[in-house]
Amino acid sequence: MAFTLKGSSAAVFDLVGPDGGQLEIQIDEGTPTTVKRIDGYCTYSRMSKTMIIPEREAGEYRVKVTLTDEQLDKRSILFERNRKDFDENPGRYKEHTWYAGSLLIIGEIVN
């Protein structure tokens, strides 16, 4: 996903879950950051929000969000009490996906 924001903030409402992957977020020519779309609770899928551009001074920002190829060690990400689900259902954790729903912006998309 790529867009140019004229504004001050952007986020994506998405899903986290057992099949979640890792995102790389790059703003302008800055250093990319990574965000995992699985957490310790992810034995099921649920709605979440990923901050793309945290609140900053209004301006024009070029944004690129990419699902990386990196395969996460999902078992270690899960809380210890949830690792049994990983062991019993490894197929649920095999995929590496990102389900983006809607974009929340403070400003406007200009490109």
Side-chain angles (χ1 to χ4, degrees):
M1 172 173 63
F3 60 92
T4 300
L5 171 73
K6 185 176 181 181
S8 60
S9 184
V12 175
F13 291 102
D14 59 1
L15 293 179
V16 291
D19 59 347
Q22 179 172 272
L23 303 178
E24 180 180 272
I25 301 169
Q26 184 164 11
I27 302 170
D28 296 327
E29 299 299 322
T31 303
T33 59
T34 57
V35 179
K36 293 175 179 66
R37 303 318 296 142
I38 180 173
D39 63 21
Y41 297 101
C42 284
T43 57
Y44 57 92
S45 295
R46 67 181 193 285
M47 291 181 62
S48 187
K49 179 178 77 172
T50 301
M51 285 305 299
I52 304 298
I53 300 177
E55 188 72 32
R56 58 174 58 188
E57 186 175 324
E60 192 166 294
Y61 303 99
R62 182 73 185 146
V63 178
K64 183 178 179 185
V65 182
T66 308
L67 179 65
T68 71
D69 292 334
E70 183 176 341
Q71 295 299 310
L72 302 172
D73 180 0
K74 294 180 179 183
R75 189 176 191 282
S76 71
I77 293 170
L78 293 171
F79 293 132
E80 187 173 338
R81 68 177 185 261
N82 291 333
R83 292 180 183 156
K84 181 180 178 186
D85 185 71
F86 181 93
D87 296 338
E88 292 174 355
N89 305 289
R92 294 180 59 213
Y93 296 85
K94 186 176 180 175
E95 297 298 320
H96 185 78
T97 61
W98 181 44
Y99 300 102
S102 59
L103 186 61
L104 169 67
I105 59 169
I106 307 298
E108 62 181 313
I109 294 178
V110 294
N111 179 330

